[in-house]
Amino acid sequence: MRFGLSSEQETFRDQLRRLLAERAPLARVREVAAEGSGYDQRLWSGLTELGAMGVLVPEDYGGLGLGAFEAGLVLEELGRFVAPAPYLGTAFVAPLVLAESGSNGLAAEWLPRIAAGEARVGLALAEAVGAREGAGVRNAGGRLSGKALAVLDAGAADAFLTAADGELWWVRSDAHGLLRTPMTSIDRTRALAELRFEAVEAEPVAGGATLTRRALDLARVALAADTLGAADAMLEQATAYSKQRVQFERVIGSFQGVKHALADMVTALEPARALVWYATHAQTTLPGPEAHRLACHAKAHLAEVGRMVARGATEVHGGMGFTDDLGLHVWFKRIGLDRQLLGSPEQIRAEAAAALAAA
């Protein structure tokens, strides 16, 4: 029995890694982060040419019609390079939601554009987890009013998948009455925004509360995959540093304390990889309660493992780990924001337990 990637999946991942190494080096990531858009056209074009944008788009709409596992590999590599690309909302959540909703008009209009890299989609789902005071979006006869916070992948979005009154709505970014204001977070590689709706015309995405829950599961699994890639990159950097940094005429990696710290990180991260891979696989092969439980488990567990690895990798670097010159904090902040988006580990575990008890 084989547990691992097929030769085709390994080739796809290697091509992605080469592309990201060329088009998303840390210097370029810093530039895009300073701009605040969370979007780089040259990187986006490269992902499109590789077919990454159409992984989950059905073949009838110009995509590859593959599964969530393959799209999860893309997310993992994007996290490894802290790449500024709104892939999560555009190429992971939106294609599956539109394809499963039965909203044929929206699917016919937007899925070919997504596969061709011509459209980007933001996610206004935070209120489905828990609205803050003064926030929340309401529907009145197909027009949305209110405020959505922490909207993901918002910088260059052409449309927003928006949760309102328990249902999903499709809102075009140029709709009359929609105001987009950038939000500052610890992670500048992602573009978050506040959206204000003033009787904004929106199209319903058929599926009701079930589809809203589905979109939330997909986004959480995507954040777990992103965290996995970022944590893996931090561990690799810590290991490499431990082999070259010399103290007391020995590389620090030869000290037992450093060896144990690195071993602890490896033994925490490897099982987490299996969990994320299975959770992404389940999103298109085991839909329903099992996919929901795995999405919750993956998001909650990776939040904790990611934080443990981020802290450990920074400590292995000593004082250098905190400097801007080294740039390790870029991954640290990515993992930190992933942890907080769409529910903390405690909140998600309580939600999963309640769903299990109600089943």
Side-chain angles (χ1 to χ4, degrees):
M1 184 177 291
R2 175 184 169 85
F3 293 97
L5 303 182
S6 68
S7 59
E8 292 83 2
Q9 290 164 339
E10 285 182 350
T11 300
F12 181 51
R13 184 188 62 181
D14 292 345
Q15 290 174 335
L16 273 170
R17 200 169 286 183
R18 284 195 294 273
L19 171 76
L20 289 163
E22 177 201 341
R23 301 196 183 186
L26 184 57
R28 182 56 187 153
V29 170
R30 289 179 189 272
E31 291 174 359
V32 178
E35 295 165 3
S37 67
Y39 173 73
D40 180 73
Q41 179 58 51
R42 187 165 176 267
L43 172 59
W44 196 255
S45 297
L47 291 170
T48 303
E49 290 164 8
L50 266 184
M53 310 312 303
V55 167
L56 288 173
V57 175
E59 291 179 284
D60 290 346
Y61 294 109
L64 300 176
L66 299 175
F69 178 73
E70 284 77 11
L73 293 179
V74 180
L75 287 159
E76 187 179 330
E77 293 307 311
L78 292 174
R80 182 182 306 281
F81 288 86
V82 284
Y87 189 87
L88 189 158
T90 303
F92 195 80
V93 178
L96 286 176
V97 166
L98 289 181
E100 295 174 9
S101 70
S103 298
N104 296 332
L106 284 173
E109 179 181 357
W110 287 91
L111 288 180
R113 295 182 60 193
I114 289 172
E118 297 171 356
R120 291 159 293 279
V121 182
L123 298 179
L125 300 178
E127 274 65 40
V129 179
R132 294 187 176 183
E133 185 176 358
V137 184
R138 298 289 175 265
N139 162 47
R143 290 187 178 272
L144 305 185
S145 297
K147 181 168 66 175
L149 300 177
V151 178
L152 266 167
D153 292 347
D158 300 291
F160 296 97
L161 200 56
T162 304
D165 293 336
E167 298 187 337
L168 286 179
W169 298 81
W170 191 266
V171 181
R172 296 166 195 266
S173 62
D174 59 356
H176 181 71
L178 181 66
L179 178 63
R180 171 172 37 186
T181 305
M183 290 180 69
T184 302
S185 74
I186 59 169
D187 177 16
R188 299 302 303 274
T189 66
R190 288 189 185 280
L192 297 186
E194 171 188 310
L195 293 183
R196 286 184 177 275
F197 300 79
E198 296 182 2
V200 174
E201 186 176 1
E203 296 177 64
V205 183
T210 300
L211 195 65
T212 304
R213 174 58 54 199
R214 174 76 167 138
L216 205 52
D217 286 344
L218 293 169
R220 285 171 169 172
V221 135
L223 289 168
D226 186 83
T227 299
L228 173 62
D232 209 23
M234 291 196 78
L235 177 57
E236 287 176 2
Q237 292 177 69
T239 304
Y241 185 76
S242 74
K243 293 177 180 176
Q244 62 177 341
R245 177 76 169 95
V246 175
Q247 281 188 333
F248 308 113
E249 300 181 352
R250 294 170 56 184
V251 293
I252 62 172
S254 66
F255 295 120
Q256 203 167 49
V258 175
K259 287 181 182 176
H260 285 179
L262 292 169
D264 286 345
M265 287 184 261
V266 171
T267 53
L269 199 56
E270 279 309 302
R273 184 188 313 283
L275 172 60
V276 172
W277 283 11
Y278 186 51
T280 53
H281 170 74
Q283 298 310 308
T284 45
T285 57
L286 298 169
E290 181 70 2
H292 172 62
R293 282 192 288 272
L294 284 165
C296 290
H297 190 28
K299 172 69 166 66
H301 189 62
L302 263 293
E304 293 178 339
V305 170
R307 183 170 68 175
M308 175 263 194
V309 171
R311 287 177 173 175
T314 305
E315 289 169 0
V316 167
H317 282 81
M320 282 295 294
F322 294 91
T323 64
D324 187 58
D325 287 343
L326 193 66
L328 197 65
H329 62 90
V330 179
W331 283 266
F332 195 109
K333 292 173 180 176
R334 181 80 166 238
I335 291 170
L337 183 62
D338 283 351
R339 176 187 174 88
Q340 294 304 321
L341 289 171
L342 303 180
S344 66
E346 298 79 9
Q347 182 179 3
I348 291 175
R349 287 195 173 110
E351 182 184 315
L356 193 61

